[in-house]
Amino acid sequence: MKVPAYIRNHESVVSFFERWPSFHDANVLVCEVAADSIRITLHTWLMTGQLDGKGYFVLRNHALVTFHFDGVHTVQMGAFEAGNILFGLEISPCSDSASFHVELDSVIDKSGSFSAQSGEVISVIPCTRDGKAL
């Protein structure tokens, strides 16, 4: 995944995960949509190539990642809500170069998207595999 360097504090995500994750299977814990801003908290992790004794992929680096976006426009978040599970999160520059686009692809057909003028990683908090902050 390409690191969205235009997101303030993106380095905290890269530092914790040793790369920018895809956010595949991330649980949406918080989704607050206001008139001109959006705040999202995800429980995410890295999936390794190793299998456990039951044949499941070993997951590591569980964390609660909170994003805040300002100057939002072109919002399509009607079905998107907390409790959702992501197939992935993609952040890409818009053609106008004054904003970027956020695509929240849901595994349960409740996807959302929006564009924003600015964004920030508010926090990356280590957590348990159940999403409880350490």
Side-chain angles (χ1 to χ4, degrees), residues 47-64:
M47 182 170 48
T48 70
Q50 302 169 332
L51 300 177
D52 66 14
K54 296 180 181 179
Y56 295 105
F57 285 106
V58 174
L59 307 176
R60 65 177 177 89
N61 291 28
H62 287 261
L64 304 174

Side-chain angles (χ1 to χ4, degrees), residues 66-110:
T66 300
F67 294 93
H68 182 84
F69 301 95
D70 281 315
V72 298
H73 56 94
T74 320
V75 178
Q76 296 180 356
M77 297 288 285
F80 195 85
E81 59 189 15
N84 206 339
I85 300 171
L86 296 183
F87 182 73
L89 169 109
E90 185 174 328
I91 303 174
S92 56
C94 291
S95 59
D96 67 8
S97 74
S99 56
F100 53 88
H101 186 72
V102 178
E103 188 74 34
L104 300 151
D105 191 10
S106 170
V107 300
I108 56 175
D109 201 25
K110 292 186 176 188

Side-chain angles (χ1 to χ4, degrees), residues 21-44:
S22 68
F23 297 93
H24 178 70
D25 283 342
N27 297 312
V28 180
L29 302 179
V30 175
C31 179
E32 298 170 344
V33 179
D36 65 345
S37 67
I38 294 177
R39 180 178 295 249
I40 298 170
T41 299
L42 305 173
H43 169 212
T44 195

